[in-house]
Amino acid sequence: MMKKVLTILKRYRFFLFSLVILGILTTFKPQVGMKSAGISLFQLTQMLLVVPPVFILLGLLDVWIPRETMVKYMGENSGLKGMFLAFIIGSFAAGPLYGAFPIASVFMKKGVKFTNLMIFIGAWSTTKIPMLMFEMTYMGMKFALTRLAVDIPGIILIAFTLNRTLSKKEVEEIYKAAESLDI
């Protein structure tokens, strides 16, 4: 029993530490503490709205798409086709970047190439279509397309740079860590 409690405390230590800091802040600076609590509650609500659909998609991805198909289209020998698919999937995403990480984890379990994985995360973070539409409306077509023209090569460059700078052992460790997750 005590071991289980210690495991839970260890797992949530950063959350618990944040609660203690928030409690101290609220005690000495009530207005700042209440504002911080309100912002935290808003962020938690937003996250709870995003996470369930992501996990439903993960379940469907895991069941409907066999590993062999993912390896064929986005694996080591997928070439430009894999990069294009990674970019398109990331661009069609909606929601904050933390929604991409569970999907990236499933992609890793399914044998997606590391470079394609980085392109997927980069596309999710910078070229989402809903964000592009918003940008076109408020910032103008020229701004949105210029940003996109700068971001796309940047995403590809960063993905290849990461792939070149990390050793095979480091990439394997990242894949092993993804395998050990219960998603």
Side-chain angles (χ1 to χ4, degrees), residues 27-43:
T27 303
F28 293 105
K29 296 270 187 179
Q31 284 184 325
V32 175
M34 294 306 289
K35 188 173 182 179
S36 296
I39 292 170
S40 298
L41 188 62
F42 175 76
Q43 293 297 326

Side-chain angles (χ1 to χ4, degrees), residues 94-114:
L97 183 60
Y98 58 74
F101 296 125
I103 295 173
S105 176
V106 170
F107 278 178
M108 292 167 89
K109 289 176 186 176
K110 296 267 184 183
V112 169
K113 184 179 176 180
F114 187 70

Side-chain angles (χ1 to χ4, degrees), residues 6-67:
L6 286 175
T7 303
I8 290 171
L9 287 175
K10 187 177 177 185
R11 177 179 279 179
Y12 297 107
R13 66 184 176 267
F14 295 115
F15 174 73
L16 295 171
F17 178 73
S18 298
L19 278 181
V20 168
I21 295 295
L22 184 63
I24 292 170
L25 185 66
T26 305
T27 303
F28 293 105
K29 296 270 187 179
Q31 284 184 325
V32 175
M34 294 306 289
K35 188 173 182 179
S36 296
I39 292 170
S40 298
L41 188 62
F42 175 76
Q43 293 297 326
L44 180 67
T45 305
Q46 292 297 309
M47 191 175 79
L48 289 175
L49 291 173
V50 169
V51 170
V54 167
F55 279 93
I56 289 171
L57 287 174
L58 286 177
L60 294 174
L61 176 72
D62 203 26
V63 172
W64 286 351
I65 303 176
R67 180 180 169 84

Side-chain angles (χ1 to χ4, degrees), residues 67-87:
R67 180 180 169 84
E68 297 77 28
T69 305
M70 290 298 285
V71 169
K72 179 180 175 185
Y73 291 106
M74 294 179 73
E76 283 299 323
N77 298 319
S78 60
L80 288 175
K81 177 178 49 181
M83 291 170 55
F84 179 74
L85 278 173
F87 183 80

Side-chain angles (χ1 to χ4, degrees), residues 2 7 29 63 105 119-120 134 139 150 169 176:
M2 188 63 181
T7 303
K29 296 270 187 179
V63 172
S105 176
I119 290 172
F120 164 74
F134 182 79
M139 306 294 281
V150 170
K169 185 180 177 188
K176 278 184 186 173

